[in-house]
Amino acid sequence: MSLLDRIREPSAVLGMLALLVAGGAALVAGEFGALSRVALGASALLFGLYVAIDPDKALQTVTGRQWVYGSNTLVLSAALIGILVLVNVVSVRFHQRWDLTAQGDFSLSESTLRILGDLPAQVHAKAFFSGGLSDRQKTEDLLKEYEQRSNGKVSWEMIDTFQQPSLADLEKISVDGTVVFSMGDRRQTTITSDEAHMTTALLKLVNPTQLKVYYSVGHGEREIERFDDRGYSNLRTQIQQENYLVENLNLLATGEVPSDAAALIIAAPRSAFQPQELAAINRFLDAKGKLVLLVDAVPNDSNVEDLVKRWEVTFGKGVVVDPLSAFPQDATVLIVGQYNEHSITRDFATRAAVFPTSTNIETPRFSQGINVQSLALSSGTRSWLETNLGQQAAYEEGVDKQGPLALAVSVEVVENPEVQEGLPPGMESTLKRVRNRAVIFGSSEFAANGPLNLGVNRDFFLNALNWVTETDQLISTRPRLEERRPLFLTQVQSNFVLFSGSVFLPMILLGLGGVIWWTRR
């Protein structure tokens, strides 16, 4: 065998390797650079040498059966790769996601969708992330969703603070993971890149003027600074995320409700308001003030009922018991699923609220210009208002009030009630001139730190606040809170899971192998 015959086949192999080097170098460098060109030239020379040494054998190789089969495989592989590339290109250009989780954990909330749909101008987001921050991909996916759901009104870019530190310095970014939204000359930042905080940033960007709500203190009310189960610190955070400012108000010290109050919140006072305080609140309501009131079922020295007499509203003297729709271990922790038609509760049709230790609210039959409407009700005639609080809960006919009972009501005083005549429940005329709005809850515990995250409690309170302050466009279902869903197994179930993978499945495979061996021996 001559020297040329010995180098013929190695030249073909080297030519193939050179061709692979040319393609790999181009992919890595992102361009067809010098290394790729040199490798491609070497590949052409080596293949040319392979053909020149023995042209007849080269022709026979490319026309033989083995070459045909190999070329078919190569074509099919190339077609598969092409299809995968095409699918990837389409998925990048036409972003689409399907949320298959039980609670829709990866779907945007109705509140976010409404804000994105109502954006008045183009919004650009800059997300500043270092390469190692774990939330980067999550934020990128969320911004893609914002861009799609806003029909292109939201554009965005990811900025690596390691590779482009000057851009971070220009925006005065000091916290890794900051997202900056800009619309015209307005600018709003958030250092937490989940849906709740990013939507709040968009809301503040669109509505830079924040409404102020005052929270009554000084009478044993629930405290918005407390983080325990009785506190309202979580509620304060949620209110602030709705673009409100929250400030404590001691009426005994100020003597008046400030004129910039969009609403006054009174949550479960235990002691009585002084006459001058009641007078100040009444002056506030006379001047078209708005009120959110939460009361306790347990008797105390509060005289807060004096504030709602103007609307002929009174409170029950007991605790609502509902054995058919309550926690199994406590029939006074109500699971509320019955709502009347109202903008506050319009999205609650298949969702429940949790009202622990609630009293009922008595409403007037009819009053011209004053619309008092029940929002949430106990389940039916099997519920009742238990008035003997120190005894075993049992319905006493003629003593206890039978359900269904109102657990939350809305109050609206209209200066021109005639414009509402003939409209179906839940519909409001745009010509209506509102004088007062109030929402009264028969349970203050439903908005405390623990229960606030149950069911629709958070949305119920925030929708009520938005309705009271006449920012009805914000009434919707909000970004979901993270929900823990642990799986609890009995000892038998735990053993089954453990031994299924470690013992049973291997034994089944071993047995099948033995059967096959026995039949073929």
Side-chain angles (χ1 to χ4, degrees):
M1 181 181 292
S2 65
L3 176 62
L4 291 178
D5 289 335
R6 287 199 297 269
I7 65 173
R8 177 175 169 274
E9 290 188 1
S11 66
V13 174
L14 291 175
M16 180 61 68
L17 291 176
L19 184 62
L20 293 175
V21 169
L27 290 175
V28 172
E31 61 179 357
F32 196 70
L35 178 59
S36 298
R37 291 194 292 269
V38 170
L40 183 62
S43 174
L45 289 174
L46 290 167
F47 278 123
L49 179 62
Y50 171 79
V51 174
I53 291 174
D54 194 337
D56 294 335
K57 284 188 176 180
L59 180 62
Q60 184 179 356
T61 300
V62 299
T63 57
R65 178 180 298 179
Q66 187 175 2
W67 173 263
V68 171
Y69 289 159
S71 61
N72 287 341
T73 303
L74 184 63
V75 169
L76 291 175
S77 300
L80 177 61
I81 294 172
I83 292 172
L84 293 176
V85 170
L86 179 62
V87 169
N88 186 61
V89 170
V90 171
S91 66
V92 169
R93 294 191 177 183
F94 303 96
H95 179 67
Q96 182 62 48
R97 301 168 67 194
W98 289 272
D99 188 353
L100 303 180
T101 58
Q103 301 294 327
D105 296 330
F106 303 106
S107 298
L108 296 182
S109 67
E110 293 178 13
S111 175
T112 299
L113 294 175
R114 184 169 298 178
I115 291 171
L116 291 174
D118 293 339
L119 289 175
Q122 194 73 22
V123 174
H124 185 68
K126 295 180 181 178
F128 293 86
F129 280 81
S130 64
L133 199 62
S134 59
D135 286 341
R136 176 173 181 146
Q137 185 60 51
K138 178 181 174 182
T139 303
E140 186 172 340
D141 291 341
L142 194 57
L143 288 171
K144 286 180 181 178
E145 199 76 8
Y146 277 41
E147 180 181 24
Q148 183 184 25
R149 299 295 184 176
S150 66
N151 294 322
K153 283 190 175 181
V154 175
S155 58
W156 58 277
E157 60 180 310
M158 298 292 293
I159 298 175
D160 193 313
T161 53
F162 284 165
Q163 296 182 1
Q164 299 173 292
S166 59
L167 293 180
D169 293 338
L170 185 63
E171 295 283 353
K172 300 180 180 178
I173 303 300
S174 58
V175 179
D176 197 6
T178 298
V179 181
V180 181
F181 292 94
S182 57
M183 184 177 67
D185 58 353
R186 298 179 189 172
R187 183 175 181 271
Q188 188 66 45
T189 65
T190 175
I191 60 174
T192 307
S193 55
D194 58 13
E195 182 189 350
H197 289 83
M198 288 173 60
T199 298
T200 299
L202 278 176
L203 180 60
K204 292 179 178 179
L205 184 71
V206 175
N207 301 308
T209 303
Q210 293 179 275
L211 297 178
K212 183 180 288 188
V213 296
Y214 286 88
Y215 188 87
S216 173
V217 298
H219 313 89
E221 295 94 341
R222 293 188 181 254
E223 299 177 30
I224 57 176
E225 290 84 10
R226 285 181 59 172
F227 293 88
D228 59 9
D229 290 342
R230 178 174 168 78
Y232 268 25
S233 59
N234 191 7
L235 181 63
R236 176 185 59 181
T237 300
Q238 297 297 328
I239 294 173
Q240 290 171 337
Q241 288 183 358
E242 293 287 291
N243 204 25
Y244 291 97
L245 295 173
V246 184
E247 188 171 316
N248 286 340
L249 175 65
N250 189 325
L251 281 169
L252 203 58
T254 62
E256 293 290 343
V257 178
S259 59
D260 62 348
L264 174 64
I265 301 174
I266 303 175
R270 293 180 173 182
S271 60
F273 285 86
Q274 297 298 313
Q276 59 269 36
E277 294 178 300
L278 290 176
I281 296 174
N282 281 317
R283 286 194 296 272
F284 170 69
L285 295 176
D286 291 338
K288 300 186 178 182
K290 313 298 193 303
L291 176 68
V292 178
L293 175 63
L294 304 96
V295 299
D296 274 337
V298 179
N300 52 44
D301 296 329
S302 173
N303 58 351
V304 73
E305 192 168 353
D306 293 343
L307 294 173
V308 298
K309 285 182 178 178
R310 60 169 55 217
W311 303 311
E312 301 179 33
V313 172
T314 58
F315 305 136
K317 307 301 180 185
V319 178
V320 177
V321 178
D322 193 348
L324 295 183
S325 186
F327 280 22
Q329 63 272 24
D330 190 349
T332 65
V333 182
L334 310 180
I335 300 175
V336 181
Q338 185 173 338
Y339 310 99
N340 281 330
E341 187 69 28
H342 196 282
S343 59
I344 293 175
T345 58
R346 65 187 173 198
D347 297 323
F348 298 169
T350 59
R351 304 171 64 199
V354 178
F355 274 59
T357 319
S358 178
T359 191
N360 79 303
I361 304 170
E362 301 284 353
T363 59
R365 291 182 179 275
F366 176 77
S367 183
Q368 182 66 23
I370 302 177
N371 180 21
V372 181
Q373 183 176 346
S374 300
L375 299 176
L377 302 165
S378 60
S379 65
T381 57
R382 296 291 298 274
S383 63
W384 72 90
L385 181 70
E386 180 61 53
T387 54
N388 295 323
L389 300 181
Q391 300 180 8
Q392 181 74 23
Y395 176 67
E396 298 181 44
E397 189 172 355
V399 177
D400 297 330
K401 183 179 176 65
Q402 192 176 28
L405 303 170
L407 307 173
V409 303
S410 66
V411 179
E412 185 174 56
V413 182
V414 181
E415 294 179 344
N416 55 339
E418 64 277 0
V419 299
Q420 285 290 110
E421 294 178 2
L423 293 179
M427 297 295 293
E428 298 180 356
S429 171
T430 56
L431 302 177
K432 179 175 61 177
R433 295 194 302 272
V434 176
R435 181 175 185 82
N436 292 122
R437 276 184 176 179
V439 174
I440 306 167
F441 294 97
S443 170
S444 66
E445 192 174 347
F446 102 103
N449 288 334
L452 186 67
N453 294 336
L454 299 176
V456 296
N457 287 19
R458 174 188 59 157
D459 289 341
F460 203 157
F461 184 92
L462 295 178
N463 283 0
L465 179 61
N466 287 326
W467 180 79
V468 160
T469 58
E470 299 185 62
T471 53
D472 299 39
Q473 71 275 12
L474 299 180
I475 294 177
S476 58
T477 305
R478 287 158 188 81
R480 295 161 185 82
L481 299 172
E482 183 177 352
E483 180 183 5
R484 295 181 179 180
R485 305 179 69 188
L487 176 64
F488 298 100
L489 300 177
T490 65
Q491 186 63 44
V492 173
Q493 293 169 333
S494 179
N495 289 339
F496 178 76
V497 171
L498 173 63
F499 294 123
S500 291
S502 61
V503 178
F504 300 152
L505 183 59
M507 292 297 293
I508 291 172
L509 294 177
L510 185 61
L512 290 175
V515 170
I516 294 173
W517 171 80
W518 179 262
T519 57
R520 292 185 176 182
R521 66 183 178 87

